[in-house]
């Protein structure tokens, strides 16, 4: 009874936020005194955390040991393990299903699986042999996610927020689907056909675990076109996050030729307020078959967009790309507040000066974050010039303006000099400028998992006890010092 009183007073604030919805239901079933209280506080936001089952562990171990037996070279093998073909919502308690009409937000979180994959990769945990290391690659079958979202459509009919987080590797290609409704086409794109039916969706997040070949979403050209042209425009989306995606090249092309997503179609979603995309190609779609040019940041149709966060996929050919705006007379965005552009390419002129003038004219813009290999010299000089000459920016707005630059490697002497000059100019006008060396450059998403595993392989990968001397060999007993007679 005392525990029930505590839960009634503080449980919803102290305990419930740290439990997924199924654990919350199990707690109510385990304690009779808590049942009434917990059921009364079932949140409208459901969190379904996917677990690492014993069957998944055994499947991963069997696959890893099989690869090691047949592995004839020194490269670290990649163990592909598919998640079980089971509806992710099939284990919901009936008491929770009865309250499904009250649910407005659903989160499917694969974080536990992601941590399991990270722990088992480049280690001998699955093989049991310190000389045999493997990389674990979990694969989320599109049919599994399609069946789960179909259940969401039928059970959670009023869901407005859908977040699928920390996803393992997922490929969305056109395929023949067996269990289709009466008016559905049997040959279609799984997952996408279900998203189109969630007509009340305001927030959609499809996020992979990390920007790495083992954890990306691969979309065919047709799937991406269906997503941007036929699915997303039907939804009243205010917030959209899709990461990390690469586009499957045409038949016969190499994986190294995988492009990123085209930014243009996403900027035509009129109701968006927040947009996060990774990875975006560094040239627009219309320029792919011709001489490559810059990506155009055209915000005229997304007049409500407040936050834009895009991460680029480096151009495999190293040809000029970049980011610019339509023209000198392009009207500034009336609502843009924050802009982040990450993983800028190999050129110090990736961001055109014209973009700097455009951003300076955005009245509500407060923070710009940039990261890449090289300092964007022309862009930075243009922003500094705007601070000096633009009365509107150098006046009342300057104290609200901040620019953050993250470089993947230490800047050169020339770049350091430019950074110091920019910091002084920003400080003179009351604005903020920060520059720092960040994490190393992200992995090349065009690599295969096998290539990535080979590059990440440690020199001592075959000996997990490296560096421990002879103690490990003698069972933890420190060997006695040698005598003169010996």
């Amino acid at each position: 009874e005392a525990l029930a009183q505590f839960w009634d007073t503080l449980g919803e604030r102290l305990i419930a936020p740290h439990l997924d919805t199924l654990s919350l239901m199990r707690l109510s079933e385990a304690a009779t005194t808590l049942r009434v209280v917990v059921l009364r506080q079932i949140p409208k936001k459901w969190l379904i955390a996917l677990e690492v089952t014993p069957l998944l562990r055994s499947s991963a171990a069997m696959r890893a040991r099989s690869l090691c037996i047949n592995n004839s070279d020194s490269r670290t093998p990649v163990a592909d393990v598919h998640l079980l073909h089971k509806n992710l919502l099939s284990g919901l308690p009936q008491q929770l299903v009865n309250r499904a009409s009250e649910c407005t937000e659903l989160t499917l979180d694969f974080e536990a699986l992601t941590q399991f994959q990270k722990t088992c990769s480049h280690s001998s945990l699955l093989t049991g042999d310190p000389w045999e290391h493997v990389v674990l690659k979990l694969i989320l079958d599109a049919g599994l996610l399609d069946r789960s979202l179909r259940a969401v459509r039928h059970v959670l009919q009023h869901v407005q927020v859908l977040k699928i987080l920390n996803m393992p590797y997922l490929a969305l290609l056109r395929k023949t689907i067996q269990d289709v409704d009466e008016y559905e086409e049997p040959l279609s794109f799984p997952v996408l056909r279900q998203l189109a039916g969630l007509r009340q969706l305001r927030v959609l997040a499809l996020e992979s675990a990390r920007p790495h070949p083992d954890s990306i979403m691969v979309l065919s050209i047709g799937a991406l076109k269906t997503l941007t042209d036929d699915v997303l425009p039907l939804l009243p989306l205010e917030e959209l996050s899709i990461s990390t995606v690469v586009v499957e090249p045409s038949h016969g092309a190499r994986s190294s030729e995988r492009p990123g997503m085209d930014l243009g179609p996403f900027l035509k979603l009129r109701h968006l307020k927040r947009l996060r995309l990774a990875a975006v190609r560094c040239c627009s779609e219309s320029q792919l078959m011709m001489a490559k040019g810059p990506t155009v940041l055209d915000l005229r149709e997304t007049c409500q967009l407040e936050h834009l966060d895009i991460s680029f996929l480096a151009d495999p050919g190293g040809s000029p790309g970049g980011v610019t705006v339509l023209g000198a007379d392009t009207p500034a965005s009336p609502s843009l507040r924050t802009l982040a552009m990450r993983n800028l390419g190999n050129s110090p002129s990736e961001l055109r000066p014209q973009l700097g003038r455009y951003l300076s004219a955005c009245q509500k813009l407060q923070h710009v974050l940039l990261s890449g290999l090289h300092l964007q010299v022309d862009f930075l000089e243009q922003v500094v010039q705007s601070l000096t000459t633009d009365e509107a920016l150098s006046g009342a707005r300057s104290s609200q303006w901040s620019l953050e630059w993250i470089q993947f490697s230490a800047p050169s002497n020339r770049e350091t000099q430019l950074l110091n000059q920019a910091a002084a100019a920003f400080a003179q006008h009351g604005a903020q400028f920060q520059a720092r060396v960040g994490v190393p450059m992200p992995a090349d998403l065009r690599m295969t998992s096998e290539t990535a595993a080979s590059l990440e392989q440690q020199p001592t990968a075959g000996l997990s006890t490296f560096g421990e001397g002879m103690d490990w060999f003698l069972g933890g007993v420190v060997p006695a010092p040698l005598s003169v007679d010996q």
Side-chain angles (χ1 to χ4, degrees), residues 466-483:
F466 178 82
E468 297 181 12
M470 287 293 292
D471 294 358
W472 69 272
F473 186 75
L474 299 176
V477 179
V478 180
L482 295 176
S483 65

Side-chain angles (χ1 to χ4, degrees), residues 237-296:
L237 289 175
E238 299 178 4
E239 182 175 339
L240 176 63
S241 177
I242 301 179
S243 65
T244 303
V245 170
V246 296
V247 181
E248 185 69 24
S250 57
H251 181 70
R254 295 173 297 179
S255 61
S256 60
E257 299 175 357
R258 287 174 173 173
M261 298 181 289
D262 185 26
L263 178 62
F266 293 96
L267 296 181
K268 296 180 180 179
L269 302 175
R270 298 179 178 274
H271 303 291
L272 276 185
K273 295 182 179 180
R274 293 176 175 268
L275 176 61
R276 178 174 179 262
L277 296 175
V280 174
R281 61 171 62 121
C282 59
C283 59
S284 61
E285 187 176 31
S286 59
Q287 296 161 331
L288 285 179
M289 303 305 295
M290 303 178 289
K292 293 185 178 181
T295 292
V296 176

Side-chain angles (χ1 to χ4, degrees), residues 104 157-162 194-205 227 230-241 266 268-274 304:
T104 59
Q157 299 179 358
H158 302 291
V159 65
Q160 299 179 17
V161 178
L162 176 61
Q194 306 297 348
L195 291 177
L198 299 173
R199 296 303 177 89
Q200 300 183 40
L201 214 56
R202 295 184 299 102
V203 177
L204 174 62
L227 176 67
D230 301 332
V231 177
L232 297 181
L234 297 177
L235 307 177
L237 289 175
E238 299 178 4
E239 182 175 339
L240 176 63
S241 177
F266 293 96
K268 296 180 180 179
L269 302 175
R270 298 179 178 274
H271 303 291
L272 276 185
K273 295 182 179 180
R274 293 176 175 268
Q304 300 183 45

Side-chain angles (χ1 to χ4, degrees), residues 63-80 120-123 126-127 131-137 214 449-454 457 461:
R63 175 62 176 160
R65 291 166 185 167
S66 173
L67 284 175
C68 290
I69 293 175
N70 301 321
N71 187 33
S72 59
D73 54 34
S74 59
R75 293 180 297 179
T76 302
V78 178
D80 295 339
C120 295
S121 294
H122 294 289
S123 75
L126 294 178
T127 63
W131 293 94
E132 296 288 356
H133 286 206
V134 297
V135 168
L136 177 62
K137 179 180 178 181
D214 288 348
S449 298
E450 289 73 18
T451 302
S454 178
Q457 180 174 321

Side-chain angles (χ1 to χ4, degrees), residues 387 393-402 423-433:
L387 276 172
L393 182 58
S394 60
R397 281 188 56 215
S398 61
S399 61
Q400 303 174 355
W401 221 90
S402 65
F426 271 68
Q428 181 180 355
H429 295 88
Q432 299 180 18
F433 179 80

Side-chain angles (χ1 to χ4, degrees), residues 133-148:
H133 286 206
V134 297
V135 168
L136 177 62
K137 179 180 178 181
L138 297 179
I139 299 177
L140 175 60
D141 186 77
L144 166 63
L145 190 55
D146 183 82
R147 286 189 293 274
S148 303

